[in-house]
Each structure stands twice: as C-alpha cells, then as structure tokens.
Amino acid sequence: MAAVAAEPAADAVAAAAEDREPQREAKPGLDDQWHQIENAESGRERPLQAGESWFLVKQHWYKQWEVYVQGGDQDASTFPGCINNAELFEDQINWRLKEGLVEGKDYVLLPAAAWHYLVSWYGLEHGQPPIERKVIKLPSLQKVEVYLVELLLVQHTDMDTILTAQFSHTDTLDVVLSTAREHFLVEPQEDTRLWIKNSEGSLDRVYNTQITLLDAAIETGQLVIMETRNKDGTWPSTQLRGMKNMAEEDEDFQGQPGICGLTNLGNTCFMNSALQCLSNVPQLTEYFLNNRYLDELNFRNPLGMKGELAEAYADLVKQAWSGYHRSIVPNVFKNKVGHFATQFLGYQQHDSQELLSFLLDGLHEDLNRVKNKEYVELCEANGRPDQEVAQEAWQNHKRRNDSVIVDTFHGLFKSTLVCPDCGNVSVTFDPFCYLSVPLPVCHKRVLEVFFIPMDPRRKPEQHRVVVPKKGNISDLCVALSKHTGIAPDKMIVTDVFSHRFYKLYQLEDPLSSILDRDDIFVYEVTGRIEPTEGSRDDIVVPVYLRERTQARDYNNSYYGLILFGHPLLVSVPRDRFSWEGLYNILLYRLSRYVTKPTSDEEDNGDEKGDDNDEEEEQENEAIVDEEGKEEIPGPSNQGNIQESEPEQPGPSSGINRRCSFLLDNHLHSSQWPPRRRRKQLFTLQTVNSNGTSDRSTSPEEIQTQPYIAMDWEPEMKRRYYDEVEAEGYVKHDCVGYVLKKAPVQLQECIELFTTMETLEKENPWYCSSCKQHQLATKKLDLWALPEILIIHLKRFSFSKFSHEKLDTLVQFPIRDLDFSEFVIKPQNESAPDLYKYDLIAVSNHYGGMRDGHYTTFACNKDSGQWHYFDDNSVSPVNENQIESKAAYVLFYQRQDVARRQPQPDSSVPSDSPAFKSSPGTEFMDVN
C-alpha cells in the first residue's frame, strides 16, 4: 500500500472524498444500529485479520453517537450529526494525521463494514477524506497501522524534485521502487536501483528489495534515491567514484554488442578468459540482459553470496553487451570474487577452469530457486532399473538445486563401483557441471644430460635420451649406454647445482625425482662410490674445485674459498689411493684444460714460497690425538668458503657408510701436502658434501664424507687453468631429437574418461557388503547431457616430484560433436540433435606451469562471427585458427537448443529487482 502526496489541492481531495461517499440510506432503529456497529460479526468486536481495512473516527463523535443510540430517542438533541474528523488532521490541505494520537482518547477504530454503515446513515463532513488504515501482521501480534512510513523520493539526476510518499511497514522495498519508477516516468526497459540515506548522512545501497520496510528498519523522513543505469551498462554512481570503465575511448563509440575486451588488472587473464567464455553462452547472457535473474536472486542461501556475485556478473554482462565499450575494467567483479573466495584475492596467476568452477557454483547458489533446502538421502539402485534410479536422482537434485545454471550446465553421470572381494555392485547417478577429461599420456620422456668420459682428451658430451616416465636411474644409464658405448654399470648419475653435487643417485632411484630444469651429469667410472674394506674395486672420489680468495675483513687478513667449475667423480685404484697418487691422477684428468708447470717454473715457485714456509707449516700442522694418529688440521681461516649464494643443504650424496678406513689406511691425513717442498698447482683437503670444512666440522663427521677439494691459488689458476676449455662440451647427434607427439582426438579423451579404473590407495571405497574400505573398480558413464557442455582438458599433471603441462594437440570439431555413442540412456532416434553439439567458446592457456597466459576464442551469439579475446584486445578470426595446443576448456552448445534460441527481448520490464540491503559495500555520491 502506498499513498503519494505532492501538495495536492484541497478541492481535488474534497472531490475525491465526495466520490467515495456512499449514498445516504434510511437509518435502522437505534437498537439495530448499536448491534451492527458493536456486536455483529462486522462490528468493532471482530478480531483483526491481516490486510483488512479499518477506519479512524474521532472519539468525541463516536461517544456522542453511543449516547444517542443508547438514549432510545431518535429525535433527541444528542443526535451526533455528520462524521467530522477535522481535529485528527494537522491541516486541511495535505490531510496529514496529527502526531501522537491515542486510540480510545483521540479516536476509535472501526472495521470497514461498520464504517460504511455509519457513513451511509450519518454522512461524512464535506471534503474530508476517510482515514483508512490496514491491519498488518507483526512477528508477535496483529495491529492496525495508524501511522504510515513517509519517505522522500528523488531521482539521482534531479535531487531537487522531491516526491513525498507514504508506505506501510509491511510494504516491500520493491513497492517503493515501483512507486518511484511510476511517478518519475521511467521506461520499462530501463534498469533502476535504490539508495537510502542513513542517520549518519551516508548512502547505503539496497540489494534486496523483497524485504519489508520494517525488516529494513526504514523510518519516516528518510531520503530514498533512485538511480537509473546508463545506456552503456554502467551506473552513474560508479562513474562518479572515478571508476569509469571506458578506458581512453570516445563516449560516442558504438560497436557490436559482446565484442568487448576486459582489461588485465595484473595477472587476471585467467579471469578474463573464463568471463569471455561464459559471456558468450547465449541463453545465460539473455537471462541476465532481460533481467530474468532479478526475480530469482536468493538472499538467504547460506551457501550463496547473498546475490552480490550474480549482480556483479549481471553488471559486467550488461556493459559488455551494451555496444558502447571497446573494453571494460572488471575491478568491481574482481573485488566481489576476492571477497567471497579468498584464494582469488590479490594478483597471483590462477587457473581459468578453477575460477569457472567457482563462478558457476556461486551463480547457482545466488540464483537458486529453492529457498529452503531439504535433506535428501543418496539413492542407490539396489537392483532397480536405471531409468527409475536416474529419474529419482535427478528429482532429488532438483529438490535442492534449481537455477538457470542447473537448467543450462548440469548433466547426469552413472557411477558403477564393484568390490574386488565380494563382487558387490554399487550404482548411483550423480549430477555434473563440466567434464574433466584426461589426455592420453605418452609414457616416455626426454631427458637432457651431460656425459663426462674418463678419457681426459674427450670433452663432455650433451645427450638427449628417451626414458620411461616411471622408470629408474638404471633405465637412464641403459639408454645413455646405447649412445656412448659405455656399460651402464660404469656410470654414476648426479645432479649438479652451484658447482657441487646436489644429489648422487642410486640405480634404484625413480626418474620422476629428476626435474626438467635439473642439471644432470653422468660420469664414467670404474668403481663405486661406496667402497667397502677388503674390496678390490677402484674407489670413486667426489672432487670439488675451489679458489682461494681474499675476503673483505676489517684487517684484510681473512682468506676464504669459493667453488668454481664442474665437480668431478674420479676413479682411483686402491694401490694408488694416497695424496700423491690422487694429485697425479687429478692432473691427468684435468690435462685437457690444466697445463703442468715446467721444471723452471717449479723452481721459481720454490724460491718464492720459501719465505712463507714457516707460516704455511704452522697453518698445516696436524693435530695428533692421544694414540698418535694424525687427524684433521686445526681450524684455519683458509678452510672457510665465502660465497654470494647460501650453501645448499640438499640430499647431497645419499652415502651412509663410514669411509674412515680411507683416511686411516691410505691418506693418513685430511690435507696435502703437509709441507710444501716443491711447487704444486693446488692443494687437497677433505671436505663435506657442501664443499666446506669450517670450524664446526668435527673429525668424525669428516671421516664419513669421502669428498676432496682442490684448492687453487688465484695466480696459479690464472696461469695454468683454462676456464674456456674447461667449460667446453660437444653435442651428440641425439641432441636434435624431439619426441614427436601425435595429435589426439577429443573422442579419445572422452573414451578415457569413461574407461574403467581402479581406485587409488588414498581414495578407497567403503563396501556396504564387506563392511570395509576396498580398492574398487570404478566406471563413469554419461546418462544425460546438458544444454551447454563444458569440457575441461586436464593438461596439468601433478606428482610428488614434478608438475608438468601436457602440450598435446587435441583435435576437436567445431560442429557436429556427436555424443550418441557415449550416452547410455535409451536414446530418442527421432531427435538426433539431442546428442550433437557445436562449439561456441574456447579458453586457451599458453606457456608452462610457472607462467602462462590465458585467452579466449568465442562465437558471437548475434552475428555468428568468431573473435579472439586477448584481455582488452578483440579481433575477428577464422574457424581454422581455433584449434591449437593451447585449447584448455571447451564450451559446446547442443544443436536443438541453438535452433530454438530466442531472440533478445527488450520488452521485459526491469521493475522487479531483488537486492539486499548491505551497508558499506558500495558508495554513491549525490552531490
């Protein structure tokens, strides 16, 4: 109920009152009058009923009438005369009730029938309007609403023209909006929304117009502003906030609706791609453009976003399909998504399919027609026919989920689980919103490795070898052996990082632990790296190269060591395993890029070194324990490594056996030479797996680490070490090999999806017959397909050791994708269109796991032309450009839906919005 007043003339009100005044009737007897007014079913004693009309009568007149009828004399001087309520009004112009009137003191309330009786018998004072009020139902009682809520209505574009209107507390905000639209002459196709000025002077956006003024706590005197959407789909309030979506474009631009880019806000290409795909689903876009969503917004759904996500998406669609934008800035939508799904906060890159899944689920819950979800038990077949179980499952699904998203995107699976022990079969039917189909995976991979031969004259060789994805390190050695002619048992595979061994692999280690970015070095050896006492095999020693460098200390007297070059695995015969023998073997292994000094250079070196003999002897003096054995030298500054990068703890060697007998029986000390008697190119020292031998290293720890460091003086390295030659390598013919990936058909992916599989250990099934969890076999079949079928190609593969993207070319049809062979539900042969689909959009992903870029191909619903959407750039394309290795999410439309697709209907009124009053989420400037 709404009463509108804009200072009407008194005579107009009086004329209206005369029209409403019934004709005078003959008065019944006084006793009959009393009975009809006081005691009859239509009299004052009748109970209140919500929605009924009651009328106010001045208390003084009614009391005089009571005296008159109770006196029993129709000709008595107590005759009350015409009903006169003048003293109940503030004035006789607007006929507004006085404030603070009290029932029983100032007025009495009469039901409609009693009022009409009195007016017909006695008449109503000329020009006075009847004071009609409705009975309203409050949470705890019913009452006559004497005082209405008086609101001040204005338009956003004209704040000076104020319309005063009265509303019941039980009127919804939709009534307020309809009243404002009617009196401000808003066209039916125009979108409007309300803002209400609160007690603090700020404006709150009204979302839910289906709630009452009482629930919204709207009081008399509040200002209500109606805002009308611009023709380009934006709202004036957002433009006033400096968030105009048209970026550097002229206001007169008008193009094809839907051909509109989305600005990248910073790694939001995934969002733009998902939105462009969804925006080009014809029936969903028409649903929002024609405002059908307004009647279905669900504000009380605890699983939804209170209608805000649906409204934000609607605003985006209206702007994109207005034809007035080349591109828009989706910052409002981005903020809404981040507010309700914190994983999308910030500006990190995400997956377009993950956002699409959230968006479809969020829109569904915001638009769910089911206001109160009932509990529904999962139904199993238990031997019943499939059609009966499927129908029951779909009906149960619709009892809790009924929205435009369900109508458009939801289909039905048949899931069959078989227990491997007792043979128990469980059949259920489950809804789906999209198909995530696997790609046929190649079971081989290509690894790039460097092979280091024992022959010092040969340079390292770069190889590309094909190995099984689920193989072991031994498989890598076998594959490399075919290229090199070296037996697999003569190879050790390592991971080299930052001039040190990050890992020394065992033959049984899985190849999945090797990442594509790892630097894999394979060394030819003649022994093993885990020597055992009594064995005759050669000893394999890991060797690091270090350069002595003067560190920056306060007195410039501190010396450090820095790793350089590639580490070595050197095979040393047991009879030559001594410091002298190791030195000579290393000279031989490095002979390709290390020049041996001449005898003259050695003599000169001896003379230069004599002055420092005493100091060096002191530095290299070994510590002798109580048993007289020579152990690790005492801590010295030259044993520390100063590097610009942090030490890598890493798995390192994986060696667990103690090798102290090497030191005790062969090397006798951990540093050589103990005294410099002739010029050496480098010195040798035992170190740990990181290449350090700092003060914190205990003798026991060193004895378990068979690592040796070659320490070079800067001058010696400069004169005798050829860094360019040391870094040289050759490429084997196999380096040009590329593992060819044959394209696969989309139908193959769907076949894989419907193939029987065995559940993994992490996801067992509880068998109701065995009463325990089982690794059952599972098979999914397609029972019913939706109008829009979304097919997600599972290009991203995740395992314990690696993440990879499958760049296999999937060939998919643009038209006539036939699902008849995959749908197991009995088919209607007279309607083949129910199983054939045409492509309407593709979300693309370019790049790898760590970085990438999303774009979209989409077919415009109005023109039928395909376009390429790359953030804010849009360009037309041909159909032969759509298929590529980047295709990630495919959108297909069923052909029967496409043929009956209705044209846009602009005649649908937009005067039934359903928003929610939510303070503080948006701001509007009215100045």
Side-chain angles (χ1 to χ4, degrees):
M1 177 183 70
V4 180
E7 297 188 2
D11 53 352
V13 175
E18 289 179 359
D19 292 339
R20 288 193 296 266
E21 187 174 338
Q23 296 295 322
R24 291 284 182 90
E25 296 181 2
K27 290 190 289 291
L30 298 181
D31 291 339
D32 290 339
Q33 291 186 39
W34 176 262
H35 175 73
Q36 292 186 39
I37 301 302
E38 288 287 342
N39 300 326
E41 293 181 359
S42 59
R44 288 184 60 196
E45 300 301 324
R46 63 166 302 169
L48 298 177
Q49 294 184 9
E52 282 186 338
S53 293
W54 285 62
F55 292 80
L56 277 68
V57 177
K58 189 174 180 301
Q59 172 79 5
H60 176 74
W61 184 94
Y62 190 78
K63 287 298 181 182
Q64 189 171 352
W65 173 82
E66 286 183 331
V67 172
Y68 170 66
V69 296
Q70 290 175 355
D73 183 3
Q74 292 191 2
D75 297 324
S77 60
T78 56
F79 181 76
C82 290
I83 300 174
N84 189 348
N85 291 328
E87 294 184 10
L88 300 180
F89 296 105
E90 283 187 354
D91 57 67
Q92 296 187 9
I93 299 177
N94 293 321
W95 302 101
R96 184 179 289 110
L97 277 184
K98 290 181 178 179
E99 295 293 331
L101 297 178
V102 179
E103 182 181 4
K105 178 183 178 181
D106 300 306
Y107 64 88
V108 295
L109 289 169
L110 297 177
W115 163 261
H116 291 306
Y117 282 140
L118 290 179
V119 172
S120 66
W121 298 334
Y122 298 95
L124 179 62
E125 188 70 27
H126 180 75
Q128 283 188 13
I131 309 175
E132 180 182 3
R133 294 295 184 261
K134 295 286 187 180
V135 178
I136 61 174
K137 184 176 181 179
L138 300 178
S140 58
L141 76 157
Q142 295 186 116
K143 61 173 290 186
V144 177
E145 185 182 35
V146 175
Y147 288 99
L148 301 177
V149 180
E150 190 172 275
L151 300 179
L152 307 178
L153 307 181
V154 297
Q155 293 187 89
H156 177 259
T157 55
D158 183 7
M159 299 293 291
D160 295 328
T161 302
I162 299 177
L163 175 71
T164 302
Q166 292 183 332
F167 302 91
S168 167
H169 286 86
T170 57
D171 283 341
T172 63
L173 287 166
D174 185 46
V175 174
V176 178
L177 180 60
S178 299
T179 302
R181 290 177 62 93
E182 178 183 352
H183 285 273
F184 290 130
L185 304 178
V186 177
E187 295 294 331
Q189 68 273 16
E190 293 186 281
D191 293 345
T192 54
R193 62 184 186 182
L194 296 179
W195 299 76
I196 296 180
K197 190 172 185 179
N198 58 33
S199 58
E200 298 176 354
S202 60
L203 294 174
D204 293 333
R205 168 75 193 290
V206 174
Y207 286 90
N208 184 5
T209 59
Q210 300 305 315
I211 63 173
T212 64
L213 299 184
L214 181 66
D215 293 335
I218 306 298
E219 299 176 352
T220 292
Q222 284 192 264
L223 181 68
V224 179
I225 303 171
M226 183 184 69
E227 182 184 17
T228 304
R229 191 192 295 270
N230 296 326
K231 63 180 181 180
D232 65 354
T234 61
W235 294 100
S237 55
T238 58
Q239 292 184 339
L240 289 172
R241 295 166 60 196
M243 297 172 62
K244 187 175 181 180
N245 280 330
M246 288 185 288
E248 299 182 1
E249 66 182 19
D250 48 43
E251 296 182 358
D252 297 329
F253 171 79
Q254 187 163 3
Q256 172 72 41
I259 311 304
C260 177
L262 296 172
T263 299
N264 193 323
L265 305 175
N267 284 328
T268 58
C269 57
F270 73 96
M271 181 184 75
N272 294 346
S273 178
L275 288 174
Q276 293 288 13
C277 288
L278 213 54
S279 173
N280 283 278
V281 174
Q283 53 267 57
L284 186 64
T285 295
E286 291 298 332
Y287 172 83
F288 282 99
L289 290 180
N290 294 335
N291 288 336
R292 294 200 297 271
Y293 75 99
L294 295 175
D295 292 326
E296 298 183 348
L297 284 167
N298 190 332
F299 301 100
R300 299 181 180 179
N301 188 353
L303 300 178
M305 288 73 178
K306 302 178 181 178
E308 295 183 34
L309 183 67
E311 190 190 22
Y313 179 74
D315 285 347
L316 202 68
V317 168
K318 287 175 180 289
Q319 293 174 42
W321 288 84
S322 68
Y324 289 96
H325 299 281
R326 290 188 176 93
S327 67
I328 56 180
V329 183
N331 44 13
V332 174
F333 181 83
K334 169 71 171 61
N335 294 336
K336 288 292 182 186
V337 170
H339 175 71
F340 291 108
T342 55
Q343 67 267 32
F344 297 115
L345 276 175
Y347 297 93
Q348 299 298 318
Q349 182 66 279
H350 292 279
D351 188 290
S352 67
Q353 189 272 333
E354 290 180 1
L355 177 75
L356 185 66
S357 176
F358 161 77
L359 187 53
L360 288 173
D361 185 62
L363 289 176
H364 158 64
E365 297 295 354
D366 268 3
L367 299 168
N368 199 345
R369 304 172 187 119
V370 179
K371 307 306 180 185
N372 297 306
K373 293 190 177 184
E374 57 182 304
Y375 173 74
V376 177
E377 290 188 1
L378 179 67
C379 57
E380 289 202 21
N382 295 326
R384 294 181 294 162
D386 282 351
Q387 285 185 289
E388 177 184 338
V389 182
Q391 182 67 19
E392 180 182 355
W394 184 251
Q395 289 176 351
N396 287 343
H397 179 59
K398 292 278 284 185
R399 283 162 63 186
R400 292 176 54 86
N401 304 278
D402 185 14
S403 69
V404 66
I405 302 300
V406 175
D407 299 341
T408 307
F409 297 98
H410 282 206
L412 202 62
F413 282 140
K414 177 186 177 183
S415 174
T416 306
L417 289 160
V418 180
C419 177
D421 286 352
C422 67
N424 178 36
V425 179
S426 171
V427 176
T428 58
F429 288 82
D430 306 300
F432 68 88
C433 191
Y434 51 84
L435 300 182
S436 288
V437 299
L439 274 63
V441 178
C442 178
H443 298 290
K444 295 185 179 295
R445 63 182 291 200
V446 175
L447 284 179
E448 188 173 285
V449 301
F450 287 91
F451 176 70
I452 313 299
M454 289 182 62
D455 187 349
R457 295 168 297 179
R458 293 174 57 188
K459 291 184 177 182
E461 300 172 358
Q462 184 184 20
H463 291 258
R464 289 173 65 90
V465 292
V466 181
V467 294
K469 281 188 174 182
K470 296 184 178 180
N472 297 327
I473 295 297
S474 58
D475 296 309
L476 170 59
C477 296
V478 170
L480 188 59
S481 175
K482 297 177 181 178
H483 293 181
T484 61
I486 304 300
D489 60 349
K490 301 297 183 185
M491 298 179 184
I492 292 182
V493 181
T494 71
D495 181 357
V496 174
F497 177 72
S498 188
H499 312 292
R500 54 169 70 88
F501 291 116
Y502 182 76
K503 184 174 178 63
L504 300 175
Y505 289 99
Q506 305 296 319
L507 292 175
E508 63 273 12
D509 288 343
L511 284 173
S512 58
S513 61
I514 296 179
L515 306 182
D516 291 338
R517 64 176 182 271
D518 292 342
D519 292 325
I520 302 301
F521 283 66
V522 182
Y523 294 83
E524 179 188 0
V525 296
T526 57
R528 303 311 301 169
I529 203 166
E530 309 94 344
T532 56
E533 195 165 4
S535 173
R536 296 184 179 181
D537 293 336
D538 289 352
I539 301 170
V540 178
V541 181
V543 180
Y544 292 149
L545 285 76
R546 306 192 299 183
E547 179 181 3
R548 198 180 307 278
T549 173
Q550 184 171 349
R552 295 180 179 178
D553 199 6
Y554 61 93
N555 56 5
N556 288 327
S557 62
Y558 186 79
Y559 287 86
L561 292 162
I562 184 169
L563 290 168
F564 71 93
H566 298 304
L568 301 173
L569 287 181
V570 180
S571 301
V572 183
R574 286 178 178 269
D575 58 355
R576 296 183 61 187
F577 198 82
S578 63
W579 286 119
E580 187 79 30
L582 186 59
Y583 178 83
N584 291 327
I585 289 175
L586 290 173
L587 274 183
Y588 173 72
R589 286 293 303 270
L590 303 179
S591 60
R592 184 171 55 85
Y593 48 90
V594 171
T595 305
K596 191 174 181 179
T598 63
S599 57
D600 293 339
E601 290 174 322
E602 289 181 353
D603 293 339
N604 292 335
D606 291 342
E607 293 174 2
K608 294 178 182 178
D610 288 343
D611 296 338
N612 297 326
D613 279 349
E614 183 177 350
E615 179 182 349
E616 291 178 4
E617 288 176 14
Q618 183 177 358
E619 290 179 355
N620 293 304
E621 183 177 346
I623 299 176
V624 180
D625 64 7
E626 294 178 357
E627 298 179 1
K629 288 186 179 180
E630 197 172 27
E631 292 191 351
I632 303 302
S636 63
N637 291 333
Q638 59 185 347
N640 293 317
I641 292 184
Q642 302 296 321
E643 297 186 76
S644 60
E645 56 184 291
E647 293 183 4
Q648 304 295 324
S652 67
S653 66
I655 300 172
N656 298 318
R657 301 181 184 180
R658 294 177 60 86
C659 303
S660 59
F661 73 91
L662 294 179
L663 296 177
D664 296 342
N665 300 332
H666 295 272
L667 301 182
H668 303 293
S669 69
S670 59
Q671 185 168 323
W672 182 86
R675 288 182 176 85
R676 184 168 296 179
R677 302 193 180 279
R678 53 182 294 183
K679 188 64 177 177
Q680 304 293 341
L681 291 181
F682 48 83
T683 60
L684 301 177
Q685 181 171 336
T686 57
V687 292
N688 60 25
S689 60
N690 281 331
T692 63
S693 55
D694 53 28
R695 293 184 177 92
S696 64
T697 307
S698 65
E700 290 79 7
E701 184 180 356
I702 286 294
Q703 288 182 352
T704 65
Q705 305 278 355
Y707 288 79
I708 302 295
M710 304 165 53
D711 294 340
W712 291 74
E713 295 289 344
E715 180 62 21
M716 300 298 286
K717 180 188 173 196
R718 185 188 64 80
R719 292 170 61 183
Y720 302 109
Y721 187 92
D722 187 343
E723 292 192 64
V724 176
E725 183 64 24
E727 296 292 329
Y729 66 93
V730 295
K731 293 185 177 181
H732 190 269
D733 293 341
C734 65
V735 172
Y737 174 79
V738 177
L739 187 63
K740 294 183 179 180
K741 298 180 180 179
V744 300
Q745 301 298 317
L746 179 60
Q747 288 84 343
E748 296 179 55
C749 302
I750 301 170
E751 287 177 2
L752 273 178
F753 177 80
T754 57
T755 300
M756 183 181 297
E757 61 178 355
T758 301
L759 297 179
E760 298 178 348
K761 293 181 180 180
E762 296 80 11
N763 186 30
W765 168 68
Y766 182 79
C767 177
S768 59
S769 179
C770 297
K771 305 299 182 184
Q772 59 183 348
H773 289 87
Q774 300 283 3
L775 299 182
T777 60
K778 180 179 182 181
K779 189 177 190 307
L780 290 177
D781 291 297
L782 300 176
W783 180 264
L785 298 178
E787 295 181 355
I788 299 295
L789 180 61
I790 302 175
I791 302 177
H792 166 224
L793 303 177
K794 297 172 70 173
R795 290 195 176 275
F796 298 107
S797 174
F798 300 91
S799 66
K800 181 179 179 181
F801 297 101
S802 65
H803 299 164
E804 64 173 327
K805 179 191 174 185
L806 305 176
D807 60 352
T808 307
L809 174 62
V810 178
Q811 296 178 334
F812 49 88
I814 305 296
R815 294 181 183 83
D816 297 326
L817 173 61
D818 192 351
F819 270 87
S820 58
E821 62 177 300
F822 300 108
V823 177
I824 65 171
K825 179 182 178 181
Q827 299 181 15
N828 183 359
E829 296 181 358
S830 62
D833 289 351
L834 293 175
Y835 312 103
K836 289 187 178 181
Y837 285 80
D838 295 334
L839 189 71
I840 58 172
V842 180
S843 175
N844 304 300
H845 179 268
Y846 299 91
M849 293 290 299
R850 294 187 173 185
D851 53 5
H853 183 60
Y854 289 91
T855 64
T856 299
F857 288 114
C859 179
N860 185 273
K861 68 180 182 65
D862 296 333
S863 66
Q865 170 68 47
W866 281 88
H867 289 81
Y868 181 63
F869 297 83
D870 184 359
D871 289 333
N872 59 350
S873 173
V874 184
S875 56
V877 293
N878 297 321
E879 290 185 358
N880 57 10
Q881 298 175 260
I882 297 171
E883 186 178 273
S884 72
K885 293 182 178 181
Y888 182 44
V889 183
L890 310 176
F891 284 66
Y892 277 94
Q893 184 180 40
R894 209 168 62 201
Q895 288 185 352
D896 69 306
V897 177
R899 289 188 172 90
R900 58 181 168 83
Q901 190 68 42
Q903 294 299 315
D905 184 6
S906 61
S907 63
V908 177
S910 58
D911 57 354
S912 58
F915 303 91
K916 179 185 176 185
S917 185
S918 176
T921 56
E922 291 194 47
F923 171 79
M924 179 180 182
D925 184 3
V926 297
N927 296 319

